[in-house]
């Protein structure tokens, strides 16, 4: 990555990476109640997760967030790789927003009060796509 590209990407990589990393670290030792809440919410939208143990789900979610945050924070990781990881992560979160009843106003893409927490993840999707595009199109 050229120094100009890195400097341009650094602010978004640092703030987004730190946010996602902190979220993952916070789930690292999730208690049973927290694990069941996270698992129940996710498996309601993604039924394939329903067969997984709640503690295992929380552990894997934590690991995925930690890995995504670390990829964003590591300046030697290419923008396309970090962007792809963030895009996938944000896409899964936005899937929760789109598919979970009560998150959006009736017949609209706009969030309800309950949906604001997930709707804001659209910013991470935009950052991920920007990093991906920058990494794939920059001059070599």
């Amino acid at each position: 990555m050229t120094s100009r590209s890195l400097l341009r990407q650094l602010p978004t990589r640092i703030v987004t990476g730190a946010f996602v990393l902190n979220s993952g670290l916070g789930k690292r030792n999730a208690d049973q109640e927290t694990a069941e809440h996270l698992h129940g919410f996710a498996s309601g939208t993604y039924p394939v997760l329903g067969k997984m143990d709640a503690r295992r789900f929380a552990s894997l979610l934590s690991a995925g967030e930690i890995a995504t945050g670390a990829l964003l924070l590591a300046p030697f990781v290419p923008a396309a790789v970090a962007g792809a990881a963030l895009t996938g992560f944000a896409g899964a979160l936005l899937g929760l927003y789109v598919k979970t009843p009560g998150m959006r106003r009736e017949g609209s893409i706009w969030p309800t009060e309950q949906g604001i927490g997930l709707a804001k993840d659209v910013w991470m999707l935009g950052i991920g796509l920007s990093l991906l595009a920058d990494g794939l199109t920059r001059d070599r």
Side-chain angles (χ1 to χ4, degrees):
M1 173 184 317
T2 66
S3 59
R4 285 179 49 181
S5 292
L6 178 59
L7 287 174
R8 184 175 56 248
Q9 296 167 8
L10 209 52
T12 55
R13 287 181 73 152
I14 288 172
V15 299
T16 309
F19 182 87
V20 174
L21 177 63
N22 181 62
S23 179
L25 290 172
K27 291 177 182 84
R28 189 175 41 181
N29 296 312
D31 61 22
Q32 185 66 32
E33 183 180 345
T34 301
E36 287 174 2
H37 173 74
L38 292 168
H39 181 252
F41 190 59
S43 62
T45 301
Y46 300 110
V48 69
L49 298 174
K51 296 177 183 176
M52 184 181 293
D53 175 69
R55 292 296 281 265
R56 176 138 173 84
F57 172 78
S59 177
L60 290 172
L61 177 60
S62 170
E65 288 181 337
I66 290 169
T68 301
L71 286 172
L72 287 161
L73 290 169
F76 55 84
V77 173
V81 173
L86 183 59
T87 298
F89 176 68
L93 292 173
L94 288 172
L96 289 171
Y97 172 70
V98 169
K99 296 178 181 182
T100 303
M103 295 293 120
R104 294 176 294 117
R105 293 185 206 156
E106 187 76 31
S108 172
I109 63 167
W110 302 111
T112 61
E113 281 294 317
Q114 297 80 20
I116 289 175
L118 285 172
K120 56 113 180 103
D121 294 329
V122 72
W123 298 106
M124 286 196 295
L125 180 66
I127 291 166
L129 290 171
S130 292
L131 288 170
L132 189 57
D134 194 39
L136 294 175
T137 62
R138 69 178 173 85
D139 295 333
R140 304 217 177 261

